[in-house]
Amino acid sequence: MTVVAVLADPPRPGLALPDLAETTPLSGADAAELYAAVLKDTFRAVERSGGDLLVNFRPDDLLPDEHVTDTASEAQLRALAGEALDDVTDARFERQVGSTLSARAGNTATHLLREEGVDSVALTRGTAPLLTRTVIDSAAMKLRGNQTVLGPSTRGRTYYAGFTAPVDYEAALEGPELETLVDRANDAGHRVEFLPMQVGVETAADLRDLLPVLWGRIETERVVPEHTATFVHEHGLRVRDGAVVLDG
C-alpha cells in the first residue's frame, strides 16, 4: 500500500498560489480559496484510493512571518481535511522538516521508506485537480514493478512522484524537476515508469491549460473534481481570447 504524502501549505492569501493573484483576475483571497478547493479534492481522491493519506504540512515556524496567523497551520489543514473526507481520523498529519521544498519532500520520503519501512511513498503538491483515485491506484500498480513512478506536468514539473526506495532529493524539485528526478532515479539504479501528463495549477498558463478541460467535463456531465469545479463554476473562471477571465 502506497503512503501518499500531500505536501500542503495552509491556504492563506499571499501564500497560496501567489502567481495567480498577480497574473489573473483572482485576488489573493480567491487564489487561497482555489488552492483549498484543489487540496480538498486531492485529499478525497487519496481517501477513495487504495493508498494511505498523509497530510504533510508546512508548520508555522517554516512559514514567512507575514503568513503566520493566530490559527496554527496544522489546525487549519485539519479543518480543511475534515470538510473533504468521510473520516478524517483515517488521515495522518505530520509536519514537514527542512529549509526547502526539496529537502522537506526528501526528508518525508526517506523517513517513510527507511525508518517506517513502508512499501512505497508518493509525493504530491496537491495542486493537480485531475489527480483521481484511478490515477493514484494506477501509480500504485506501476510501483510494484518499478522503483520510481513519475507524473509529468507542464514546464518540466511533476504532479506525482512515487518511490519504493529513496533517491538523492537534494534540489530535486527545483528547475526542470522531471528530468532531475529521472536522473536521480537512474543514478540509484531504479526502473522508471510514467503516468499520463496532468496540469498542476500554479500559474495563469496552467489555468489556461486546465479550464477548457474542466469546463468540457462539466458541460458533458462527466466526473469532475467536485470542490475545484464548484469554485470554477461559481466564479465563472474561463479562458477567453487566450486570457483567464471571470465570466460571472
Side-chain angles (χ1 to χ4, degrees):
M1 186 174 293
T2 301
V3 176
V4 183
V6 182
L7 306 171
D9 285 344
R12 297 173 183 170
L15 178 67
L17 307 180
D19 187 79
L20 294 185
E22 298 175 0
T23 60
T24 75
L26 295 174
S27 66
D30 292 333
E33 185 182 349
L34 174 59
Y35 177 64
V38 181
L39 270 183
K40 287 196 284 187
D41 285 326
T42 303
F43 294 160
R44 180 175 291 184
V46 179
E47 179 186 47
R48 292 177 174 177
S49 76
D52 289 334
L53 173 61
L54 168 61
V55 180
N56 195 209
F57 63 91
R58 185 156 51 140
D60 294 280
D61 58 354
L62 294 181
L63 295 175
D65 290 343
E66 64 270 24
H67 297 306
V68 176
T69 70
D70 292 337
T71 303
S73 172
E74 179 179 1
Q76 190 172 1
L77 286 162
R78 280 186 180 274
L80 193 72
E83 297 171 4
L85 302 175
D86 292 333
D87 186 356
V88 73
T89 63
D90 288 340
R92 175 178 170 185
F93 292 78
E94 294 287 347
R95 59 187 285 138
Q96 297 176 12
V97 177
S99 58
T100 66
L101 177 62
S102 294
R104 295 192 293 272
N107 286 337
T108 294
T110 302
H111 173 78
L112 289 167
L113 291 166
R114 288 185 175 164
E115 304 301 324
E116 298 194 14
V118 303
D119 293 332
S120 57
V121 60
L123 305 168
T124 179
R125 289 182 177 83
T127 54
L130 298 178
L131 177 61
T132 62
R133 171 192 61 79
T134 302
V135 175
I136 294 168
D137 286 341
S138 173
M141 290 293 292
K142 291 177 183 293
L143 282 166
R144 294 182 181 181
N146 304 276
Q147 291 87 9
T148 294
V149 173
L150 301 173
S153 187
T154 51
R155 293 190 293 118
R157 296 169 296 170
T158 61
Y159 66 88
Y160 177 104
F163 307 93
T164 62
V167 300
D168 178 4
Y169 296 101
E170 184 177 358
L173 301 186
E174 301 168 16
E177 64 190 67
L178 178 67
E179 186 176 357
T180 301
L181 287 170
V182 169
D183 288 342
R184 303 292 174 81
N186 285 338
D187 290 343
H190 288 193
R191 290 185 300 274
V192 182
E193 186 55 272
F194 297 93
L195 300 171
M197 180 175 283
Q198 287 194 13
V199 178
V201 180
E202 297 177 14
T203 69
D206 297 331
L207 279 181
R208 290 196 296 271
D209 289 337
L210 173 70
L211 289 172
V213 176
L214 195 55
W215 275 107
R217 298 190 70 86
I218 291 171
E219 291 165 359
T220 55
E221 299 182 351
R222 302 299 176 88
V223 174
V224 294
E226 177 185 353
H227 298 286
T228 305
T230 298
F231 175 92
V232 166
H233 189 270
E234 289 181 348
H235 287 74
L237 198 59
R238 288 185 178 270
V239 176
R240 302 292 190 205
D241 298 324
V244 177
V245 299
L246 298 178
D247 194 18

